[in-house]
mmCIF file of all heavy atoms in Angstrom:
data_model
loop_
_atom_site.group_PDB
_atom_site.id
_atom_site.type_symbol
_atom_site.label_atom_id
_atom_site.label_comp_id
_atom_site.label_asym_id
_atom_site.label_seq_id
_atom_site.Cartn_x
_atom_site.Cartn_y
_atom_site.Cartn_z
ATOM 1 N N ARG A 4 -6.171 4.588 7.347
ATOM 2 C CA ARG A 4 -7.323 4.135 8.139
ATOM 3 C C ARG A 4 -8.150 5.272 8.733
ATOM 4 O O ARG A 4 -9.347 5.107 8.938
ATOM 5 C CB ARG A 4 -6.866 3.229 9.281
ATOM 6 C CG ARG A 4 -6.167 1.981 8.838
ATOM 7 C CD ARG A 4 -7.136 1.019 8.243
ATOM 8 N NE ARG A 4 -6.407 -0.195 7.868
ATOM 9 C CZ ARG A 4 -6.882 -1.100 7.081
ATOM 10 N NH1 ARG A 4 -8.075 -0.966 6.580
ATOM 11 N NH2 ARG A 4 -6.167 -2.146 6.785
ATOM 12 N N VAL A 5 -7.517 6.408 9.025
ATOM 13 C CA VAL A 5 -8.240 7.487 9.694
ATOM 14 C C VAL A 5 -8.594 8.621 8.730
ATOM 15 O O VAL A 5 -9.717 9.120 8.742
ATOM 16 C CB VAL A 5 -7.415 8.032 10.888
ATOM 17 C CG1 VAL A 5 -8.088 9.227 11.521
ATOM 18 C CG2 VAL A 5 -7.197 6.931 11.912
ATOM 19 N N LEU A 6 -7.642 9.007 7.869
ATOM 20 C CA LEU A 6 -7.874 10.179 7.037
ATOM 21 C C LEU A 6 -8.439 9.845 5.661
ATOM 22 O O LEU A 6 -9.431 10.442 5.224
ATOM 23 C CB LEU A 6 -6.571 10.969 6.891
ATOM 24 C CG LEU A 6 -5.947 11.456 8.201
ATOM 25 C CD1 LEU A 6 -4.608 12.112 7.941
ATOM 26 C CD2 LEU A 6 -6.889 12.402 8.916
ATOM 27 N N LEU A 7 -7.816 8.899 4.958
ATOM 28 C CA LEU A 7 -8.234 8.630 3.583
ATOM 29 C C LEU A 7 -9.533 7.846 3.485
ATOM 30 O O LEU A 7 -10.208 7.905 2.460
ATOM 31 C CB LEU A 7 -7.125 7.896 2.824
ATOM 32 C CG LEU A 7 -5.894 8.737 2.515
ATOM 33 C CD1 LEU A 7 -4.824 7.881 1.868
ATOM 34 C CD2 LEU A 7 -6.259 9.900 1.620
ATOM 35 N N VAL A 8 -9.901 7.118 4.523
ATOM 36 C CA VAL A 8 -11.126 6.333 4.469
ATOM 37 C C VAL A 8 -12.349 7.240 4.364
ATOM 38 O O VAL A 8 -13.371 6.862 3.807
ATOM 39 C CB VAL A 8 -11.209 5.370 5.682
ATOM 40 C CG1 VAL A 8 -11.529 6.123 6.961
ATOM 41 C CG2 VAL A 8 -12.211 4.272 5.435
ATOM 42 N N ARG A 9 -12.232 8.464 4.853
ATOM 43 C CA ARG A 9 -13.361 9.409 4.828
ATOM 44 C C ARG A 9 -13.634 9.968 3.435
ATOM 45 O O ARG A 9 -14.757 10.415 3.168
ATOM 46 C CB ARG A 9 -13.093 10.571 5.783
ATOM 47 C CG ARG A 9 -12.908 10.128 7.209
ATOM 48 C CD ARG A 9 -12.453 11.288 8.083
ATOM 49 N NE ARG A 9 -12.011 10.855 9.384
ATOM 50 C CZ ARG A 9 -12.781 10.801 10.451
ATOM 51 N NH1 ARG A 9 -14.038 11.151 10.370
ATOM 52 N NH2 ARG A 9 -12.289 10.387 11.595
ATOM 53 N N ILE A 10 -12.622 9.971 2.575
ATOM 54 C CA ILE A 10 -12.794 10.557 1.247
ATOM 55 C C ILE A 10 -12.519 9.535 0.149
ATOM 56 O O ILE A 10 -12.124 9.883 -0.957
ATOM 57 C CB ILE A 10 -11.882 11.791 1.082
ATOM 58 C CG1 ILE A 10 -10.434 11.435 1.365
ATOM 59 C CG2 ILE A 10 -12.352 12.931 1.945
ATOM 60 C CD1 ILE A 10 -9.465 12.558 1.071
ATOM 61 N N ARG A 11 -12.741 8.284 0.437
ATOM 62 C CA ARG A 11 -12.483 7.205 -0.515
ATOM 63 C C ARG A 11 -13.280 7.415 -1.800
ATOM 64 O O ARG A 11 -14.460 7.725 -1.769
ATOM 65 C CB ARG A 11 -12.854 5.868 0.111
ATOM 66 C CG ARG A 11 -12.668 4.664 -0.745
ATOM 67 C CD ARG A 11 -11.266 4.185 -0.872
ATOM 68 N NE ARG A 11 -10.721 3.886 0.443
ATOM 69 C CZ ARG A 11 -9.432 4.021 0.716
ATOM 70 N NH1 ARG A 11 -8.608 4.438 -0.190
ATOM 71 N NH2 ARG A 11 -8.981 3.749 1.905
ATOM 72 N N GLY A 12 -12.598 7.293 -2.927
ATOM 73 C CA GLY A 12 -13.253 7.401 -4.223
ATOM 74 C C GLY A 12 -13.207 8.796 -4.832
ATOM 75 O O GLY A 12 -13.456 8.948 -6.021
ATOM 76 N N MET A 13 -12.887 9.800 -4.058
ATOM 77 C CA MET A 13 -12.775 11.170 -4.577
ATOM 78 C C MET A 13 -11.292 11.448 -4.829
ATOM 79 O O MET A 13 -10.557 11.861 -3.927
ATOM 80 C CB MET A 13 -13.357 12.166 -3.580
ATOM 81 C CG MET A 13 -14.838 11.961 -3.310
ATOM 82 S SD MET A 13 -15.568 13.213 -2.256
ATOM 83 C CE MET A 13 -14.838 12.808 -0.674
ATOM 84 N N GLU A 14 -10.850 11.197 -6.077
ATOM 85 C CA GLU A 14 -9.430 11.240 -6.391
ATOM 86 C C GLU A 14 -8.810 12.606 -6.126
ATOM 87 O O GLU A 14 -7.691 12.700 -5.628
ATOM 88 C CB GLU A 14 -9.174 10.838 -7.850
ATOM 89 C CG GLU A 14 -9.305 9.357 -8.116
ATOM 90 C CD GLU A 14 -10.736 8.950 -8.402
ATOM 91 O OE1 GLU A 14 -11.599 9.850 -8.547
ATOM 92 O OE2 GLU A 14 -11.002 7.741 -8.466
ATOM 93 N N LEU A 15 -9.506 13.683 -6.471
ATOM 94 C CA LEU A 15 -8.947 15.017 -6.257
ATOM 95 C C LEU A 15 -8.766 15.303 -4.765
ATOM 96 O O LEU A 15 -7.726 15.820 -4.344
ATOM 97 C CB LEU A 15 -9.833 16.087 -6.891
ATOM 98 C CG LEU A 15 -9.320 17.518 -6.776
ATOM 99 C CD1 LEU A 15 -7.953 17.649 -7.439
ATOM 100 C CD2 LEU A 15 -10.313 18.473 -7.399
ATOM 101 N N SER A 16 -9.740 14.936 -3.972
ATOM 102 C CA SER A 16 -9.625 15.150 -2.521
ATOM 103 C C SER A 16 -8.520 14.293 -1.928
ATOM 104 O O SER A 16 -7.781 14.746 -1.034
ATOM 105 C CB SER A 16 -10.946 14.825 -1.837
ATOM 106 O OG SER A 16 -11.955 15.700 -2.280
ATOM 107 N N GLU A 17 -8.376 13.058 -2.405
ATOM 108 C CA GLU A 17 -7.294 12.196 -1.925
ATOM 109 C C GLU A 17 -5.936 12.790 -2.271
ATOM 110 O O GLU A 17 -5.023 12.805 -1.441
ATOM 111 C CB GLU A 17 -7.414 10.805 -2.527
ATOM 112 C CG GLU A 17 -8.567 9.995 -2.010
ATOM 113 C CD GLU A 17 -8.730 8.683 -2.747
ATOM 114 O OE1 GLU A 17 -8.095 8.500 -3.808
ATOM 115 O OE2 GLU A 17 -9.498 7.843 -2.262
ATOM 116 N N ALA A 18 -5.802 13.289 -3.500
ATOM 117 C CA ALA A 18 -4.541 13.885 -3.914
ATOM 118 C C ALA A 18 -4.232 15.127 -3.083
ATOM 119 O O ALA A 18 -3.096 15.314 -2.632
ATOM 120 C CB ALA A 18 -4.579 14.236 -5.403
ATOM 121 N N MET A 19 -5.232 15.953 -2.861
ATOM 122 C CA MET A 19 -5.014 17.174 -2.077
ATOM 123 C C MET A 19 -4.621 16.836 -0.633
ATOM 124 O O MET A 19 -3.724 17.467 -0.060
ATOM 125 C CB MET A 19 -6.277 18.041 -2.079
ATOM 126 C CG MET A 19 -6.650 18.570 -3.436
ATOM 127 S SD MET A 19 -5.538 19.834 -3.999
ATOM 128 C CE MET A 19 -6.089 21.192 -3.006
ATOM 129 N N MET A 20 -5.284 15.842 -0.046
ATOM 130 C CA MET A 20 -4.968 15.477 1.332
ATOM 131 C C MET A 20 -3.561 14.899 1.439
ATOM 132 O O MET A 20 -2.810 15.250 2.357
ATOM 133 C CB MET A 20 -5.974 14.485 1.895
ATOM 134 C CG MET A 20 -5.668 14.111 3.345
ATOM 135 S SD MET A 20 -6.883 13.065 4.098
ATOM 136 C CE MET A 20 -8.178 14.261 4.377
ATOM 137 N N THR A 21 -3.193 14.035 0.514
ATOM 138 C CA THR A 21 -1.866 13.432 0.603
ATOM 139 C C THR A 21 -0.770 14.455 0.298
ATOM 140 O O THR A 21 0.319 14.375 0.873
ATOM 141 C CB THR A 21 -1.741 12.207 -0.320
ATOM 142 O OG1 THR A 21 -2.038 12.583 -1.661
ATOM 143 C CG2 THR A 21 -2.665 11.096 0.143
ATOM 144 N N ILE A 22 -1.036 15.420 -0.582
ATOM 145 C CA ILE A 22 -0.065 16.497 -0.799
ATOM 146 C C ILE A 22 0.102 17.302 0.486
ATOM 147 O O ILE A 22 1.221 17.639 0.888
ATOM 148 C CB ILE A 22 -0.503 17.402 -1.961
ATOM 149 C CG1 ILE A 22 -0.317 16.682 -3.291
ATOM 150 C CG2 ILE A 22 0.297 18.711 -1.972
ATOM 151 C CD1 ILE A 22 -0.897 17.419 -4.475
ATOM 152 N N ALA A 23 -0.996 17.597 1.162
ATOM 153 C CA ALA A 23 -0.935 18.350 2.423
ATOM 154 C C ALA A 23 -0.174 17.561 3.484
ATOM 155 O O ALA A 23 0.644 18.139 4.223
ATOM 156 C CB ALA A 23 -2.342 18.677 2.911
ATOM 157 N N ILE A 24 -0.408 16.267 3.576
ATOM 158 C CA ILE A 24 0.311 15.441 4.550
ATOM 159 C C ILE A 24 1.802 15.451 4.238
ATOM 160 O O ILE A 24 2.635 15.588 5.143
ATOM 161 C CB ILE A 24 -0.250 14.003 4.553
ATOM 162 C CG1 ILE A 24 -1.654 13.992 5.135
ATOM 163 C CG2 ILE A 24 0.668 13.059 5.333
ATOM 164 C CD1 ILE A 24 -2.391 12.699 4.922
ATOM 165 N N GLY A 25 2.155 15.340 2.965
ATOM 166 C CA GLY A 25 3.559 15.393 2.572
ATOM 167 C C GLY A 25 4.208 16.716 2.928
ATOM 168 O O GLY A 25 5.351 16.764 3.408
ATOM 169 N N MET A 26 3.481 17.814 2.710
ATOM 170 C CA MET A 26 4.024 19.136 3.047
ATOM 171 C C MET A 26 4.185 19.298 4.559
ATOM 172 O O MET A 26 5.175 19.877 5.026
ATOM 173 C CB MET A 26 3.125 20.221 2.483
ATOM 174 C CG MET A 26 3.165 20.296 0.974
ATOM 175 S SD MET A 26 1.975 21.456 0.301
ATOM 176 C CE MET A 26 2.706 22.998 0.777
ATOM 177 N N ILE A 27 3.237 18.790 5.317
ATOM 178 C CA ILE A 27 3.329 18.874 6.778
ATOM 179 C C ILE A 27 4.536 18.093 7.287
ATOM 180 O O ILE A 27 5.301 18.572 8.128
ATOM 181 C CB ILE A 27 2.026 18.377 7.434
ATOM 182 C CG1 ILE A 27 0.889 19.366 7.170
ATOM 183 C CG2 ILE A 27 2.218 18.148 8.929
ATOM 184 C CD1 ILE A 27 -0.485 18.838 7.527
ATOM 185 N N ILE A 28 4.724 16.881 6.770
ATOM 186 C CA ILE A 28 5.873 16.066 7.191
ATOM 187 C C ILE A 28 7.180 16.747 6.798
ATOM 188 O O ILE A 28 8.114 16.840 7.598
ATOM 189 C CB ILE A 28 5.779 14.650 6.591
ATOM 190 C CG1 ILE A 28 4.600 13.893 7.191
ATOM 191 C CG2 ILE A 28 7.081 13.881 6.814
ATOM 192 C CD1 ILE A 28 4.301 12.581 6.491
ATOM 193 N N ALA A 29 7.263 17.246 5.557
ATOM 194 C CA ALA A 29 8.495 17.888 5.084
ATOM 195 C C ALA A 29 8.820 19.132 5.898
ATOM 196 O O ALA A 29 9.981 19.340 6.290
ATOM 197 C CB ALA A 29 8.360 18.241 3.606
ATOM 198 N N ASP A 30 7.825 19.952 6.176
ATOM 199 C CA ASP A 30 8.083 21.160 6.964
ATOM 200 C C ASP A 30 8.425 20.835 8.410
ATOM 201 O O ASP A 30 9.241 21.531 9.030
ATOM 202 C CB ASP A 30 6.879 22.100 6.903
ATOM 203 C CG ASP A 30 6.751 22.797 5.561
ATOM 204 O OD1 ASP A 30 7.729 22.771 4.787
ATOM 205 O OD2 ASP A 30 5.673 23.349 5.264
ATOM 206 N N THR A 31 7.833 19.787 8.961
ATOM 207 C CA THR A 31 8.177 19.373 10.316
ATOM 208 C C THR A 31 9.622 18.887 10.386
ATOM 209 O O THR A 31 10.360 19.243 11.308
ATOM 210 C CB THR A 31 7.221 18.267 10.807
ATOM 211 O OG1 THR A 31 5.885 18.752 10.729
ATOM 212 C CG2 THR A 31 7.548 17.849 12.216
ATOM 213 N N MET A 32 10.042 18.103 9.401
ATOM 214 C CA MET A 32 11.431 17.641 9.365
ATOM 215 C C MET A 32 12.388 18.809 9.178
ATOM 216 O O MET A 32 13.465 18.841 9.771
ATOM 217 C CB MET A 32 11.641 16.608 8.255
ATOM 218 C CG MET A 32 10.902 15.308 8.452
ATOM 219 S SD MET A 32 11.490 14.374 9.868
ATOM 220 C CE MET A 32 10.183 14.688 11.031
ATOM 221 N N LEU A 33 11.996 19.798 8.373
ATOM 222 C CA LEU A 33 12.828 20.982 8.185
ATOM 223 C C LEU A 33 12.944 21.768 9.482
ATOM 224 O O LEU A 33 14.023 22.256 9.833
ATOM 225 C CB LEU A 33 12.252 21.861 7.079
ATOM 226 C CG LEU A 33 13.047 23.111 6.706
ATOM 227 C CD1 LEU A 33 14.414 22.729 6.167
ATOM 228 C CD2 LEU A 33 12.278 23.922 5.689
ATOM 229 N N ALA A 34 11.852 21.875 10.230
ATOM 230 C CA ALA A 34 11.883 22.604 11.500
ATOM 231 C C ALA A 34 12.716 21.873 12.548
ATOM 232 O O ALA A 34 13.429 22.507 13.336
ATOM 233 C CB ALA A 34 10.461 22.807 12.018
ATOM 234 N N ILE A 35 12.654 20.555 12.561
ATOM 235 C CA ILE A 35 13.394 19.780 13.570
ATOM 236 C C ILE A 35 14.880 19.701 13.228
ATOM 237 O O ILE A 35 15.736 19.952 14.076
ATOM 238 C CB ILE A 35 12.800 18.365 13.700
ATOM 239 C CG1 ILE A 35 11.397 18.431 14.298
ATOM 240 C CG2 ILE A 35 13.706 17.473 14.551
ATOM 241 C CD1 ILE A 35 10.665 17.112 14.285
ATOM 242 N N TYR A 36 15.205 19.345 11.980
ATOM 243 C CA TYR A 36 16.587 19.061 11.617
ATOM 244 C C TYR A 36 17.293 20.200 10.899
ATOM 245 O O TYR A 36 18.507 20.151 10.721
ATOM 246 C CB TYR A 36 16.653 17.796 10.751
ATOM 247 C CG TYR A 36 16.252 16.567 11.506
ATOM 248 C CD1 TYR A 36 14.996 16.003 11.339
ATOM 249 C CD2 TYR A 36 17.118 15.975 12.405
ATOM 250 C CE1 TYR A 36 14.615 14.886 12.048
ATOM 251 C CE2 TYR A 36 16.748 14.854 13.117
ATOM 252 C CZ TYR A 36 15.496 14.308 12.931
ATOM 253 O OH TYR A 36 15.124 13.203 13.630
ATOM 254 N N GLY A 37 16.574 21.208 10.455
ATOM 255 C CA GLY A 37 17.194 22.325 9.761
ATOM 256 C C GLY A 37 17.388 22.037 8.288
ATOM 257 O O GLY A 37 17.080 20.956 7.791
ATOM 258 N N GLY A 38 17.917 23.020 7.595
ATOM 259 C CA GLY A 38 18.050 22.911 6.146
ATOM 260 C C GLY A 38 19.449 22.625 5.665
ATOM 261 O O GLY A 38 19.751 22.831 4.503
ATOM 262 N N ILE A 39 20.343 22.165 6.526
ATOM 263 C CA ILE A 39 21.705 21.851 6.112
ATOM 264 C C ILE A 39 21.677 20.505 5.393
ATOM 265 O O ILE A 39 21.165 19.516 5.923
ATOM 266 C CB ILE A 39 22.651 21.792 7.328
ATOM 267 C CG1 ILE A 39 22.646 23.138 8.045
ATOM 268 C CG2 ILE A 39 24.063 21.427 6.889
ATOM 269 C CD1 ILE A 39 23.400 23.112 9.365
ATOM 270 N N GLN A 40 22.236 20.461 4.188
ATOM 271 C CA GLN A 40 22.200 19.230 3.403
ATOM 272 C C GLN A 40 23.013 18.115 4.046
ATOM 273 O O GLN A 40 22.632 16.963 4.003
ATOM 274 C CB GLN A 40 22.722 19.469 1.976
ATOM 275 C CG GLN A 40 21.803 20.288 1.133
ATOM 276 C CD GLN A 40 21.978 21.780 1.363
ATOM 277 O OE1 GLN A 40 22.885 22.217 2.043
ATOM 278 N NE2 GLN A 40 21.078 22.560 0.799
ATOM 279 N N ASN A 41 24.146 18.449 4.624
ATOM 280 C CA ASN A 41 24.992 17.449 5.273
ATOM 281 C C ASN A 41 25.185 17.875 6.727
ATOM 282 O O ASN A 41 26.060 18.680 7.034
ATOM 283 C CB ASN A 41 26.342 17.343 4.558
ATOM 284 C CG ASN A 41 27.167 16.190 5.074
ATOM 285 O OD1 ASN A 41 26.819 15.566 6.075
ATOM 286 N ND2 ASN A 41 28.267 15.900 4.399
ATOM 287 N N PRO A 42 24.378 17.349 7.647
ATOM 288 C CA PRO A 42 24.450 17.819 9.032
ATOM 289 C C PRO A 42 25.737 17.437 9.743
ATOM 290 O O PRO A 42 26.044 17.991 10.780
ATOM 291 C CB PRO A 42 23.242 17.153 9.689
ATOM 292 C CG PRO A 42 22.951 15.974 8.843
ATOM 293 C CD PRO A 42 23.361 16.341 7.452
ATOM 294 N N TRP A 43 26.524 16.511 9.190
ATOM 295 C CA TRP A 43 27.743 16.097 9.853
ATOM 296 C C TRP A 43 28.920 16.993 9.464
ATOM 297 O O TRP A 43 29.956 16.957 10.075
ATOM 298 C CB TRP A 43 28.059 14.642 9.537
ATOM 299 C CG TRP A 43 27.034 13.764 10.125
ATOM 300 C CD1 TRP A 43 26.970 13.340 11.421
ATOM 301 C CD2 TRP A 43 25.879 13.240 9.495
ATOM 302 N NE1 TRP A 43 25.846 12.576 11.618
ATOM 303 C CE2 TRP A 43 25.158 12.484 10.451
ATOM 304 C CE3 TRP A 43 25.366 13.313 8.215
ATOM 305 C CZ2 TRP A 43 23.982 11.834 10.166
ATOM 306 C CZ3 TRP A 43 24.190 12.664 7.920
ATOM 307 C CH2 TRP A 43 23.513 11.937 8.890
ATOM 308 N N ARG A 44 28.767 17.792 8.424
ATOM 309 C CA ARG A 44 29.810 18.708 8.001
ATOM 310 C C ARG A 44 29.665 20.014 8.780
ATOM 311 O O ARG A 44 28.573 20.530 8.930
ATOM 312 C CB ARG A 44 29.703 18.993 6.513
ATOM 313 C CG ARG A 44 30.860 19.831 6.024
ATOM 314 C CD ARG A 44 30.718 20.256 4.599
ATOM 315 N NE ARG A 44 30.293 19.159 3.751
ATOM 316 C CZ ARG A 44 29.928 19.334 2.498
ATOM 317 N NH1 ARG A 44 29.907 20.511 1.965
ATOM 318 N NH2 ARG A 44 29.546 18.308 1.775
ATOM 319 N N ARG A 45 30.762 20.523 9.260
ATOM 320 C CA ARG A 45 30.718 21.778 10.005
ATOM 321 C C ARG A 45 30.497 22.929 9.037
ATOM 322 O O ARG A 45 31.005 22.933 7.912
ATOM 323 C CB ARG A 45 32.016 21.982 10.755
ATOM 324 C CG ARG A 45 32.178 21.001 11.890
ATOM 325 C CD ARG A 45 33.456 21.185 12.634
ATOM 326 N NE ARG A 45 33.915 22.562 12.644
ATOM 327 C CZ ARG A 45 35.115 22.925 13.018
ATOM 328 N NH1 ARG A 45 35.982 22.023 13.402
ATOM 329 N NH2 ARG A 45 35.485 24.178 12.994
ATOM 330 N N ARG A 46 29.770 23.918 9.498
ATOM 331 C CA ARG A 46 29.567 25.110 8.683
ATOM 332 C C ARG A 46 30.874 25.894 8.630
ATOM 333 O O ARG A 46 31.553 26.037 9.633
ATOM 334 C CB ARG A 46 28.476 25.995 9.277
ATOM 335 C CG ARG A 46 27.112 25.426 9.145
ATOM 336 C CD ARG A 46 26.114 26.420 9.632
ATOM 337 N NE ARG A 46 24.778 25.859 9.537
ATOM 338 C CZ ARG A 46 23.694 26.510 9.907
ATOM 339 N NH1 ARG A 46 23.758 27.716 10.387
ATOM 340 N NH2 ARG A 46 22.519 25.949 9.777
#
């Protein structure tokens, strides 16, 4: 409703924006939870 509505119909811009959103979410989760595959297992 807020981000994609501004670039509706421009497939390349939509793809670039959604890739960026995915990278932002993934990096935020990595920063919050760390990179341990199984957080319940002790190092």
Side-chain angles (χ1 to χ4, degrees):
R4 299 287 182 195
V5 175
L6 301 175
L7 290 175
V8 73
R9 300 172 192 267
I10 55 174
R11 179 78 58 211
M13 298 185 289
E14 285 86 8
L15 182 59
S16 297
E17 289 174 348
M19 295 288 284
M20 181 175 285
T21 57
I22 287 172
I24 291 168
M26 291 174 71
I27 290 168
I28 293 170
D30 286 345
T31 303
M32 294 294 104
L33 183 63
I35 293 172
Y36 294 102
I39 300 172
Q40 290 83 8
N41 188 351
W43 294 279
R44 186 186 315 171
R45 291 180 31 193
R46 289 185 181 180

